[in-house]
Amino acid sequence: QVQLVQSGGGLVQPGGSLTLSCGFSGATFTSYAMGWYRQAPGKERELVAMLTPGELTKVRDSLKGRFSISRGDAENSIVLQMNNLEPGDTAVYYCKLQDGRTWAEYWGNGTLVTVSS
């Protein structure tokens, strides 16, 4: 059973930084993509950043320059670095894993990021 575990998040002042981490266990994949989505109150879930099986990174255009995604130090993990945070970044952030062969999707439980003074 695939399990995604998220860590990080919390309350930060505008202009601050946060780091989110996500790791998975319970399965081995030939290839996979991992990334982050977010959902603000009253809005649809949107892609934040993704790391593809080919180690290519994709960051939402509006977040480029502030957000970055990379492999974590731990095996099967990724890190989302968020800098110069704005109140509009307030949302629940979800980690997603997608099997590169079957396209099956797995989601983390979400972690709340609140940007407020």
Side-chain angles (χ1 to χ4, degrees):
Q1 182 178 353
V2 178
Q3 211 169 15
L4 271 67
V5 178
Q6 301 181 208
S7 62
L11 174 64
V12 64
Q13 291 187 342
S17 297
L18 279 177
T19 303
L20 303 182
S21 299
C22 176
F24 75 87
S25 61
T28 302
F29 300 97
T30 303
S31 67
Y32 61 89
M34 281 186 80
W36 295 92
Y37 286 69
R38 69 183 184 183
Q39 188 165 18
K43 295 188 177 181
E44 294 187 355
R45 193 172 295 189
E46 63 182 20
L47 173 68
V48 173
M50 184 65 68
L51 188 62
T52 72
E55 299 299 307
L56 297 177
T57 60
K58 175 180 173 60
V59 178
R60 190 177 192 80
D61 285 345
S62 61
L63 301 177
K64 288 179 180 178
R66 297 194 298 122
F67 286 28
S68 63
I69 186 170
S70 62
R71 290 285 177 194
D73 291 336
E75 188 177 4
N76 299 335
S77 69
I78 57 171
V79 171
L80 180 69
Q81 179 64 42
M82 304 183 292
N83 298 323
N84 194 21
L85 284 160
E86 304 170 353
D89 296 318
T90 295
V92 177
Y93 285 70
Y94 296 91
C95 179
K96 174 186 166 182
L97 166 67
Q98 184 165 41
D99 185 336
R101 185 177 63 86
T102 68
W103 302 108
E105 296 181 352
Y106 307 89
W107 291 88
N109 291 331
T111 186
L112 178 62
V113 171
T114 303
V115 184
S116 176
S117 56

